[in-house]
Amino acid sequence: MTRLTARFWVDAYLARLRFQDIPAFVVSHGDDTAGSVLIKLNTLDGSARAFTRSFDLMSGERVWAELASGPEADVDNSIAKQRGFDPDLWVIEVEDRMGRHLLDKEGLA
């Protein structure tokens, strides 16, 4: 299966969020071709969750796994650690009080 470039995926994801009127922005611009993508969901109540792509070992499918959740400052610290390990990492922040991130929708894994 052909993989999309990170930049293409990020642009498509941001467009899908815009269509649903969900604010999102690029916090950290990673490598355009092969960078990994991390999504921070900020529910604007002091809490946040961070998601990263991984593989489901049972099915072999790509899935979004929760990396961290809790107070926003703690999630930000987890994201900073990930950026320390991977300078090519993209970080996208989604801001939605209802907790919508669309990562569970078809085509985004």
Side-chain angles (χ1 to χ4, degrees):
M1 175 186 274
T2 304
R3 285 187 55 190
L4 300 174
T5 65
R7 178 61 185 252
F8 186 89
W9 187 92
V10 166
D11 288 344
Y13 180 58
L14 293 173
R16 284 185 74 172
L17 290 166
R18 272 193 304 275
F19 290 141
Q20 297 294 319
D21 293 323
I22 302 171
F25 52 94
V26 176
V27 174
S28 176
H29 185 289
D31 182 83
D32 282 344
T33 305
S36 296
V37 179
L38 187 146
I39 307 297
K40 174 186 171 188
L41 173 62
N42 183 347
T43 52
L44 305 172
D45 62 358
S47 298
R49 296 168 63 195
F51 300 91
T52 185
R53 268 195 288 203
S54 65
F55 285 97
D56 180 330
L57 296 176
M58 297 302 286
S59 69
E61 299 291 320
R62 292 183 71 110
V63 296
W64 286 95
E66 188 173 287
L67 173 71
S69 66
E72 185 177 6
D74 293 349
V75 172
D76 286 341
N77 287 336
S78 294
I79 293 170
K81 286 180 189 175
Q82 291 299 312
R83 290 199 63 228
F85 300 136
D86 184 359
D88 295 331
L89 181 68
W90 287 79
V91 178
I92 310 301
E93 182 163 343
V94 178
E95 295 181 339
D96 188 68
R97 291 185 192 283
M98 293 184 288
R100 298 174 299 165
H101 49 64
L102 306 183
L103 297 175
D104 54 347
K105 302 300 180 193
E106 185 177 340
L108 290 177

